[in-house]
Amino acid sequence: EAGVAQSPRYKIIEKRQSVAFWCNPISGHATLYWYQQILGQGPKLLIQFQNNGVVDDSQLPKDRFSAERLKGVDSTLKIQPAKLEDSAVYLCASSYSINRVLNSPLHFGNGTRLTVT
Amino acid sequence: GIQVEQSPPDLILQEGANSTLRCNFSDSVNNLQWFHQNPWGQLINLFYIPSGTKQNGRLSATTVATERYSLLYISSSQTTDSGVYFCAVQGSGAGSYQLTFGKGTKLSVIP
């Protein structure tokens, strides 16, 4: 079974520039998550999709971050404009769960390491 | 929201030693998972364990949901066990969709 695919692996941009990350979840997984992990901390949920609908985006800084999941499969996370504090690893995860209760394991991709200078 | 506390924050072990990592949470949960983040940053799901006990090789986990804690046991540790271990929970309260992560336990296994 192929895992969660993410690209790019690394990205360096200057502040105020824009950047986009791509994620392809495990085939058949209905729920897709974007997490932000700052060095030395646990991952923090940014947005959660179930199929192509948003379930939770309460911690997404909507003035600069946006995400979409077209056709309920691939997803893109965008930051525009980027700030220095956005430097982090952006992790995509997916799970089979189709209910509000997460009744199956979460599987993570390798992440994108973003550096904003 | 639900609070997740992991202990100890750091742990250094000699290869072959056993260890117990703890995860305390502040409210009732629907879901609890343990992850290992290796030194290259990859997060691997170890256990999906909202209650009870599971074992996978040298690793086992126990969740006592009524007492709001979970334990991860590592026996006969190896250098490849090094990394950060995260506990993540989903609260059972209304509107609790997200999996909340603790700050992790950083494990270093030395030969």
Side-chain angles (χ1 to χ4, degrees), chain A residues 60-82:
Chain A
L60 186 74
K62 297 180 187 64
D63 57 334
R64 298 185 299 106
F65 286 65
S66 64
E68 59 181 6
R69 188 183 186 195
L70 299 176
K71 301 181 181 178
V73 182
D74 292 9
S75 178
T76 303
L77 176 70
K78 295 180 182 178
I79 308 175
Q80 182 178 11

Side-chain angles (χ1 to χ4, degrees), chain B residues 45-94:
Chain B
N45 192 296
L46 298 175
F47 292 103
Y48 166 79
I49 186 166
S51 64
T53 297
K54 289 187 177 179
Q55 180 153 8
N56 184 1
R58 296 181 296 104
L59 272 59
S60 65
T62 296
T63 297
V64 184
T66 53
E67 297 187 21
R68 299 183 184 172
Y69 73 88
S70 182
L71 302 174
L72 178 69
Y73 306 95
I74 304 174
S75 64
S76 304
S77 58
Q78 301 176 358
T79 55
T80 51
D81 295 331
S82 296
V84 183
Y85 290 81
F86 289 103
C87 168
V89 304
Q90 181 194 30
S92 59

Side-chain angles (χ1 to χ4, degrees), chain B residues 8 21 28 30 36-37 43 50 54 63-64 66 68 70 75 83 90 96 100 102-103 109:
Chain B
L21 282 57
S28 57
N30 287 325
H36 174 223
Q37 189 163 41
L43 266 166
K54 289 187 177 179
T63 297
V64 184
T66 53
R68 299 183 184 172
S70 182
S75 64
Q90 181 194 30
S96 296
T100 299
K103 293 184 178 180
V109 180

Side-chain angles (χ1 to χ4, degrees), chain A residues 9 33 35 37 40-45 48 55-56 58-59 91 100-110 113, chain B residues 30-31 33 35 37 40-45 48 86 90-104:
Chain A
R9 285 285 280 136
Y33 314 78
Y35 281 85
Q37 187 175 22
Q41 299 181 18
K44 182 186 85 170
L45 181 70
Q48 177 179 337
V55 170
D56 187 341
S58 57
Q59 297 188 100
L91 295 158
R100 184 180 74 81
V101 174
L102 296 169
N103 56 6
S104 63
L106 227 64
H107 297 278
F108 281 87
N110 288 327
R113 184 175 298 276
Chain B
N30 287 325
N31 179 348
Q33 303 191 27
F35 296 87
Q37 189 163 41
W40 297 270
Q42 177 67 34
L43 266 166
I44 305 296
N45 192 296
Y48 166 79
F86 289 103
Q90 181 194 30
S92 59
S96 296
Y97 291 101
Q98 62 178 272
L99 207 59
T100 299
F101 281 73
K103 293 184 178 180

Side-chain angles (χ1 to χ4, degrees), chain A residues 8 11 13 17-21 77-80 82 112 114 116:
Chain A
K11 191 74 177 177
I13 61 172
Q17 286 187 325
S18 63
V19 64
F21 314 123
L77 176 70
K78 295 180 182 178
I79 308 175
Q80 182 178 11
T112 297
L114 174 67
V116 182

